[in-house]
């Protein structure tokens, strides 16, 4: 069974930066074949897909993070990253990684990102 472990969340001031990591194990096929995504869920809101990266390293982003967030992957260590720059209070959420589309049994614990002065 796939296990995904997110890390890197923290309390940061507006305008700051963070780099999130998500390491995975238990994949049935080679990790490079999977489309991976970063999702977030803010209090009282539905979980949303923030960024996605496919096998060709083509990336997509939700409009609210374009130009500020960058998703990348290292297939040798089964890890996907999310570099977040110029953070805003509205980026506050628990961040998760998963396949895109997500697999219900692959959600991890997430990592908390809080943007506040």
């Amino acid at each position: 069974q796939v296990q995904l472990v997110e890390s890197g969340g923290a309390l940061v001031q507006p305008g700051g930066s963070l780099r999130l990591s998500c390491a995975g194990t238990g994949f049935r096929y080679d990790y490079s074949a999977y489309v991976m995504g970063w999702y977030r869920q803010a209090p009282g809101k539905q979980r949303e897909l923030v960024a996605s990266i496919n096998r060709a390293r083509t990336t997509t982003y939700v409009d609210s993070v374009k130009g500020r967030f960058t998703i990348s992957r290292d297939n040798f260590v089964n890890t996907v990253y999310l570099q977040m720059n110029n953070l805003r209070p509205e980026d506050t959420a628990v961040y998760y990684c998963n396949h895109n589309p997500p697999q219900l049994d692959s959600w991890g614990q997430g990592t908390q990102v809080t943007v506040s002065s």
Side-chain angles (χ1 to χ4, degrees):
Q1 182 172 341
V2 173
Q3 291 190 328
L4 300 168
V5 179
E6 302 92 347
S7 62
L11 170 63
V12 63
Q13 292 187 341
S17 297
L18 284 175
R19 189 193 194 205
L20 307 184
S21 300
C22 172
T25 59
F27 298 98
R28 182 174 182 180
Y29 303 108
D30 187 84
Y31 180 77
S32 65
Y34 294 99
V35 180
M36 298 300 296
W38 278 99
Y39 301 77
R40 67 184 179 187
Q41 187 166 20
K45 295 187 177 181
Q46 288 190 335
R47 194 172 298 182
E48 66 171 345
L49 176 64
V50 174
S52 181
I53 185 167
N54 67 10
R55 181 171 190 164
R57 301 180 189 272
T58 301
T59 58
T60 59
Y61 300 92
V62 67
D63 285 347
S64 60
V65 308
K66 284 180 180 178
R68 301 188 298 121
F69 290 12
T70 303
I71 188 171
S72 61
R73 67 192 298 163
D74 185 340
N75 294 327
F76 290 106
V77 292
N78 292 1
T79 300
V80 62
Y81 304 97
L82 188 67
Q83 177 67 42
M84 305 187 295
N85 298 328
N86 192 20
L87 283 160
R88 305 168 179 169
E90 54 263 39
D91 295 318
T92 295
V94 179
Y95 284 71
Y96 305 85
C97 72
N98 204 323
H99 300 274
N100 181 20
Q103 296 186 0
L104 292 179
D105 58 355
S106 296
W107 291 110
Q109 295 299 308
T111 186
Q112 176 71 49
V113 172
T114 303
V115 185
S116 174
S117 55

